[in-house]
Amino acid sequence: EYYSLYNGERIPLSEKHKAGGNLCTTNPEVIRTCADFAIDWFDKNPDGIVVPMWPADGAVKWCECENCMKLGGINFASGEKGSMSRRMVVFCNAVAKLVAEKHPDKYILLPVYANYIHPVDIPLEKNIFLQFCLHGDYAHKIDQGKVNEKERKWLDQWATLAAGRMGVWEYFLIGDIFDNKESPGYLPVIYRTVGTIKYLKDKGVNWYFTQANPYRQWKQIGRAS
């Protein structure tokens, strides 16, 4: 009962995670277990600041029990119909409350990513950090270009909930992930990043991290936008 109920069957996360299921995020024992994990980690690592509550990556199956379905989200549906954001916020809020009882000065990290990137209107507990995963346009700063419009709106909405307690993980320089005419260039990425970081800072984003792939994936590295 800790695992996702999918098509009437409880399925654990498999070694090949895309074939498995997530946890049942409304199960009180799952919430307690996750909170106990964070509390134990903080007990053993008193200098630590934050513990993430991050589901497995990939197209895992989310729970279809009655309580989970009340929070919305349909497996493998596109757009907001498939959004699991409300589930993630409710789950992380519940974990954060329990952790705050023992460690009021520590934080739980709420990821905003994949099919839980759509903004919701639920207030966040004060001991939650939010990490927005940005898939942007490498040729333009975040407030420029059509590719960035949707991501920017989402980021702005989340920032109203977590200003000052928000970070961005940007999928940066991944190579040929965008092949449309709105994002043809890979350089000068440094100048573009300066503008993006300034925008994020103005929105109350205090942490910024980038993920880059190897040089060999830069198929058009010699091109400028």
Side-chain angles (χ1 to χ4, degrees):
E1 67 272 16
Y2 284 16
Y3 298 122
S4 290
L5 181 67
Y6 181 76
N7 287 339
E9 180 183 357
R10 294 284 180 179
I11 54 172
L13 187 70
S14 69
E15 291 183 4
K16 296 181 179 179
H17 60 266
K18 291 185 178 180
N22 197 2
L23 294 173
C24 174
T25 56
T26 59
N27 185 315
E29 293 184 28
V30 169
I31 294 169
R32 180 75 259 180
T33 298
C34 291
D36 286 344
F37 171 86
I39 290 169
D40 180 67
W41 191 88
F42 287 130
D43 287 343
K44 295 174 180 176
N45 299 273
D47 292 333
I49 298 172
V50 60
V51 169
M53 290 292 153
W54 203 301
D57 200 1
V60 294
K61 302 170 180 69
W62 291 69
C63 187
E64 296 174 342
C65 77
E66 183 179 356
N67 288 332
C68 284
M69 292 301 292
K70 287 178 181 178
L71 297 174
I74 300 172
N75 275 303
F76 309 119
S78 60
E80 294 195 20
K81 286 186 177 180
S83 174
M84 304 296 175
S85 297
R86 190 168 293 273
R87 301 187 188 203
M88 281 299 301
V89 172
V90 169
F91 167 71
C92 284
N93 270 345
V95 171
K97 285 182 180 179
L98 292 174
V99 171
E101 294 174 3
K102 178 70 181 294
H103 293 287
D105 58 337
K106 305 298 185 181
Y107 292 85
I108 293 300
L109 186 144
L110 164 66
V112 176
Y113 171 67
N115 60 350
Y116 41 98
I117 197 170
H118 297 89
V120 296
D121 57 357
I122 305 173
L124 301 181
E125 292 295 311
K126 293 181 179 180
N127 60 328
I128 283 183
F129 280 155
L130 186 147
Q131 182 167 298
F132 184 91
C133 296
L134 173 62
H135 293 77
D137 171 352
Y138 308 140
H140 304 89
K141 61 181 182 177
I142 192 172
D143 57 345
Q144 295 177 342
K146 292 182 180 179
V147 171
N148 290 331
E149 287 180 2
K150 180 172 63 175
E151 298 273 337
R152 183 176 67 253
K153 288 179 181 178
W154 290 344
L155 187 147
D156 287 355
Q157 288 179 263
W158 284 112
T160 62
L161 292 175
R165 293 181 286 122
M166 182 172 176
V168 165
W169 178 319
E170 183 165 18
Y171 291 80
F172 193 50
L173 311 180
I174 293 184
D176 56 355
I177 188 170
F178 289 117
D179 59 1
N180 58 62
K181 294 180 180 179
E182 288 295 325
S183 181
Y186 297 82
L187 296 173
V189 293
I190 292 177
Y191 306 106
R192 167 258 185 220
T193 305
V194 169
T196 293
I197 291 177
K198 183 180 184 305
Y199 182 91
L200 297 178
K201 185 66 176 177
D202 290 344
K203 291 293 179 179
V205 174
N206 286 338
W207 297 272
Y208 179 73
F209 176 87
T210 64
Q211 175 181 331
N213 278 358
Y215 175 87
R216 61 183 173 81
Q217 295 201 12
W218 286 37
K219 295 181 180 179
Q220 303 180 50
I221 193 167
R223 296 187 182 181
S225 171

